[in-house]
Amino acid sequence: MAKVVVVTSGKGGVGKTTSTAALGAALAVGSNGSPGKNVVVVDFDVGLRNLDLVMGAERRVVYDLVNVVQGDAKLSQALIRDKRVETLSILPASQTRDKDALTPDGVARVIEELRERFDWILCDSPAGIEKGAQLAMYHADEAVVVTNPEVSSVRDSDRIIGLLDSTTAKAKAGETMAKHLLLTRYDPARAARGEMLLTEDVLEILSIPLIGIIPESEEVLRASNLGSPVTLSNPDSAPARAYFDAVRRLQGETLEMQVPSDRKGLLSWLFGRRVA
Amino acid sequence: MSGGGIGGGKGFLSGLFARRGSAPVARDRLQILLAHERAGGSEGQSDLIAKLREEILEVIARHVPIDRDKVQIKLDRGAAMTTLEIDVEVPGLKLGGAAAAKSVSQ
């Protein structure tokens, strides 16, 4: 049965779009033991779309979510199939309209149709807690809450968790939505030096289960430069491995939690220092 | 861990080349995208695409019956040239399954 997952955070810039792309691609290619799934990543950030750019599909957008919601295009015409992974598609947001172009009924229809075609539907939420963010989460079965180990991000995540538990279709039906914490931009060295909130601190405050810890890495910027999810551009890199683990947990596996790290030579370390 | 070099488990040299690689790609992608978005915006462009689609389909429909829902439109925005590809499935036609009309704009 298809699963609708909203990737949300409240705060902007914490890695929702990056994570949507990386998780979607990881689900679609599969990993040892779990075969690739049919996946669509949906951009709900109407007016400020960016998932197309991060996925490297920006040149190929013809129709978007708003066109489908308003009946100007068929879903099949708006879906863009990824050129690298056959089972991965993207449904872009509109760049020219505003949030009001999406209607709750229209979004419901599109989500229903997506459920028939795909195993996983990952909805990239806009930042904030207003209409756009609420529409992105409304039909979700589960939520991935992207959080940085930083005070304002944790506070906003707490707010979003409250909304997930009160304003979604699941909440209104009296059910609880499964929520997963994805900790991004985590720097184990700084956390060890007491300069960054510890994973345990964040978990204790938000009290939702942890699905992954994505280490701060230059590979993430490189991936977005190239227009490729990091799980495709460098699947062996530390952040990619963390995303692959997160995807296995999302599918119900129990894995030991660890923060993958990249082994580096002295020279590349020096070089990295100089440029950074 | 922090501020480390690129390339994950790869060697130093490949890390060097990878570093040089990604920023120019990002710049080129943005330049192409923004050139299109600034020039009339995506709205104008999608209007043009809709117009082209309607007129091309009209011409085809004059000769063979077509199912409007089975029309796939693909676009590839490039720096010098944009390719618009319109795939039309022609159910009644016995020669092969599909006919394709291709046109280039800009």
Side-chain angles (χ1 to χ4, degrees):
Chain A
M1 213 185 75
K3 240 181 202 160
V4 180
V5 179
V6 61
V7 180
T8 187
S9 71
K11 191 176 186 304
V14 296
K16 281 182 296 295
T17 302
T18 304
S19 295
T20 305
L23 294 171
L27 272 168
V29 295
S31 56
N32 41 342
S34 78
K37 302 292 187 327
N38 258 321
V39 181
V40 63
V41 289
V42 186
D43 193 346
F44 270 84
D45 204 345
V46 175
L48 283 174
R49 73 166 171 231
N50 271 321
L51 186 58
D52 58 330
L53 199 51
V54 170
M55 294 286 294
E58 76 280 1
R59 294 190 195 188
R60 300 165 59 209
V61 177
V62 183
Y63 296 112
D64 54 57
L65 178 61
V66 172
N67 294 137
V68 181
V69 164
Q70 299 189 336
D72 299 333
K74 295 271 166 205
L75 180 61
S76 59
Q77 294 171 328
L79 287 168
I80 304 171
R81 182 166 304 173
D82 189 271
K83 283 194 167 162
R84 299 149 298 209
V85 185
E86 208 182 313
T87 54
L88 179 61
S89 296
I90 167 176
L91 182 54
S94 168
Q95 180 71 341
T96 50
R97 310 294 188 80
D98 60 66
K99 292 187 269 301
D100 297 327
L102 291 184
T103 60
D105 289 351
V107 172
R109 263 188 290 113
V110 175
I111 296 281
E112 271 324 298
E113 216 177 317
L114 288 171
R115 277 185 195 272
E116 286 162 23
R117 287 170 178 252
F118 296 97
D119 303 319
W120 289 88
I121 298 135
L122 301 193
C123 304
D124 183 21
S125 171
I129 54 168
E130 284 162 33
K131 192 182 168 191
Q134 298 209 11
L135 273 177
M137 69 169 68
Y138 190 80
H139 300 281
D141 301 312
E142 299 187 14
V144 170
V145 179
V146 183
T147 307
N148 291 167
E150 179 270 327
V151 287
S152 59
S153 173
V154 175
R155 178 204 209 172
D156 290 0
S157 292
D158 190 64
R159 189 80 198 280
I160 278 292
I161 290 169
L163 289 178
L164 289 167
D165 285 335
S166 62
T167 64
T168 55
K170 264 218 139 122
K172 285 178 180 166
E175 297 168 47
T176 30
M177 179 179 300
K179 297 171 290 291
H180 313 277
L181 180 69
L182 185 69
L183 206 54
T184 55
R185 312 202 67 163
Y186 190 76
D187 187 334
R190 299 196 70 185
R193 288 198 298 269
E195 299 169 6
M196 187 179 259
L197 281 171
L198 295 171
T199 309
E200 302 87 85
D201 300 336
V202 181
L203 279 174
E204 197 191 315
I205 295 166
L206 295 178
S207 56
I208 60 172
L210 185 63
I211 200 177
I213 305 171
I214 315 299
E216 173 83 65
S217 165
E218 293 189 3
E219 278 302 315
V220 174
L221 176 60
R222 181 172 170 267
S224 104
N225 281 346
L226 298 175
S228 169
V230 71
T231 42
L232 298 183
S233 66
N234 190 353
D236 296 325
S237 64
R241 281 183 283 141
Y243 278 119
F244 274 107
D245 279 358
V247 152
R248 289 172 67 181
R249 293 188 191 99
L250 196 60
Q251 295 175 96
E253 277 187 63
T254 311
L255 299 172
E256 197 195 330
M257 187 63 66
Q258 52 185 345
V259 190
S261 68
D262 285 326
R263 280 184 296 112
K264 280 184 222 85
L266 175 66
L267 279 172
S268 79
W269 181 78
L270 281 174
F271 189 78
R273 263 302 168 86
R274 203 185 310 142
V275 174
Chain B
M1 193 68 237
S2 66
I6 208 152
K10 286 177 287 181
F12 167 60
L13 277 177
S14 65
L16 250 185
F17 288 116
R19 175 175 296 279
R20 199 168 291 156
S22 89
V25 176
R27 188 201 51 215
D28 292 347
R29 291 175 60 221
L30 275 174
Q31 276 173 345
I32 292 171
L33 177 67
L34 295 182
H36 283 282
E37 286 193 351
R38 286 173 184 158
S42 314
E43 193 93 73
Q45 186 139 54
S46 68
D47 281 354
L48 173 66
I49 291 162
K51 210 173 283 173
L52 287 172
R53 179 195 60 179
E54 284 314 312
E55 289 181 14
I56 291 167
L57 290 183
E58 221 177 273
V59 171
I60 299 171
R62 234 180 267 158
H63 302 283
V64 282
I66 51 171
D67 183 348
R68 286 296 179 113
D69 292 347
K70 290 189 173 155
V71 176
Q72 280 294 345
I73 299 166
K74 286 181 186 162
L75 185 70
D76 194 348
R77 295 191 183 97
M81 188 178 79
T82 293
T83 316
L84 174 67
E85 190 181 322
I86 303 181
D87 283 336
V88 185
E89 216 177 282
V90 188
L93 217 61
K94 277 180 182 163
L95 305 163
K102 278 197 180 187
S103 86
V104 173
S105 75
Q106 193 157 320

